[in-house]
Amino acid sequence: GKSYTFGAKVEGTSSKITWSVSNKKIGTITQKGKFTAKRAGKVTITAKAGSASTKVKVTVKGKKIIAIDPGHQSKGNSATEATGPGSTTKKAKVASGTSGVSTKVPEYKLTLEVSLKLKEALLDRGYEVVMTREKNEVNISNKERAILANESGADICIRIHADGATSQSASGASALYPSTKNPYVSGLSKSSKKLASSVITKFCDKTGAKNRGTVARDDLTGTNWSTIPVIVLEMGFMSNPSEDKKMQKDSYQAMMVEGICNGIDDYYGK
């Protein structure tokens, strides 16, 4: 949303200067040279008069960097890794996840589909985005995902998941965060709980999903290796026929994405 006015001088021609930008998704420019940023990224601004022209490369930085971790992947990895720094307890590197009781869509496909839409929506709101994966055919452990987010410069991490239960009547969304007694990341508990509360409230406000609230969890590898505020958003139950079908609809996914974005804005006091 910030603006900057560029200037250019013309010599040897009476032609009027015209301005253009290489990517209008990143920003726009008026014919008076006023550039207005829209989302993070890189663009080239060109000033042209007759046959003469000059270019300048501009990098637009986002207001915050958000890491998104789309849960799971096309194939689980049963090899183990420590559940936290220095831990002797080990868990599978990546679980296979659940799948839709009605649609048969695997969780890893749903989480990536929603996460890619979330990425675009956050970019449109002026954030920068780091993804732990952008395709399903990967092999990235939960520890590796956390470290990737840590080292990216991200300010917070949102881990996108869907729930499953033995009972098909279980429904609603929840947000998981590390407790104050977490042996690895207790210092992140307060900020992570604030993030969890903001996201789950706005998510349920927008989607109408049952709000199952914030839940403290200290057994999640991807959380325990984090060095930034982190939450797991359980968007709904794939074991519930109604929620399963709903989460596959573009219209509902749009509401889920908007709710998450609203929650992130709320976390930052926007």
Side-chain angles (χ1 to χ4, degrees), residues 91-113:
K91 289 174 63 176
K93 289 188 173 184
V94 189
S96 56
T98 187
S99 60
V101 65
S102 296
T103 66
K104 308 305 179 187
V105 174
E107 183 182 357
Y108 70 82
K109 284 190 175 180
L110 173 64
T111 61
L112 182 60
E113 187 174 6

Side-chain angles (χ1 to χ4, degrees), residues 128-162:
E128 292 185 53
V129 177
V130 173
M131 301 283 290
T132 61
R133 69 178 180 97
E134 294 193 77
K135 58 183 182 179
N136 290 317
E137 291 70 32
V138 298
N139 188 17
I140 311 172
S141 78
N142 288 315
K143 173 185 172 180
E144 291 168 341
R145 292 170 192 235
I147 292 172
L148 189 157
N150 296 341
E151 295 179 349
S152 71
D155 190 59
I156 60 173
C157 181
I158 310 290
R159 305 176 63 206
I160 302 295
H161 284 255

Side-chain angles (χ1 to χ4, degrees), residues 163-182:
D163 229 331
T166 53
S167 171
Q168 292 189 1
S169 64
S171 66
S174 60
L176 319 181
Y177 69 96
S179 80
T180 55
K181 295 182 179 180
N182 186 293

Side-chain angles (χ1 to χ4, degrees), residues 4-22:
Y4 182 84
T5 301
F6 291 88
K9 291 183 178 180
V10 180
E11 295 180 357
T13 177
S14 59
S15 299
K16 184 180 178 181
I17 298 174
T18 58
W19 295 88
S20 62
V21 64
S22 60

Side-chain angles (χ1 to χ4, degrees), residues 2 6 28 40 59 61 108 120 153 170 179 218 223 235 262 266:
K2 292 186 178 181
F6 291 88
T28 58
T59 299
K61 293 186 176 181
Y108 70 82
E120 292 302 310
S179 80
D218 294 332
T223 295
M235 301 181 291
N262 291 347
D266 183 69

Side-chain angles (χ1 to χ4, degrees), residues 230-269:
V230 57
I231 67 167
V232 176
L233 176 64
E234 298 282 7
M235 301 181 291
F237 281 80
M238 299 190 82
S239 51
N240 180 300
S242 176
E243 287 194 346
D244 174 32
K245 293 173 187 174
K246 192 184 294 184
M247 286 190 290
Q248 295 303 321
K249 293 181 179 178
D250 287 339
S251 57
Y252 190 74
Q253 287 185 5
M255 288 191 287
M256 290 197 292
V257 165
E258 186 174 350
I260 298 168
C261 289
N262 291 347
I264 293 171
D265 281 348
D266 183 69
Y267 173 75
Y268 288 117

Side-chain angles (χ1 to χ4, degrees), residues 208-229:
K210 176 184 176 181
N211 189 340
R212 298 173 69 91
T214 59
V215 181
R217 287 281 298 273
D218 294 332
D219 60 329
L220 305 175
T221 306
T223 295
N224 294 342
W225 281 93
S226 187
T227 58
I228 56 178

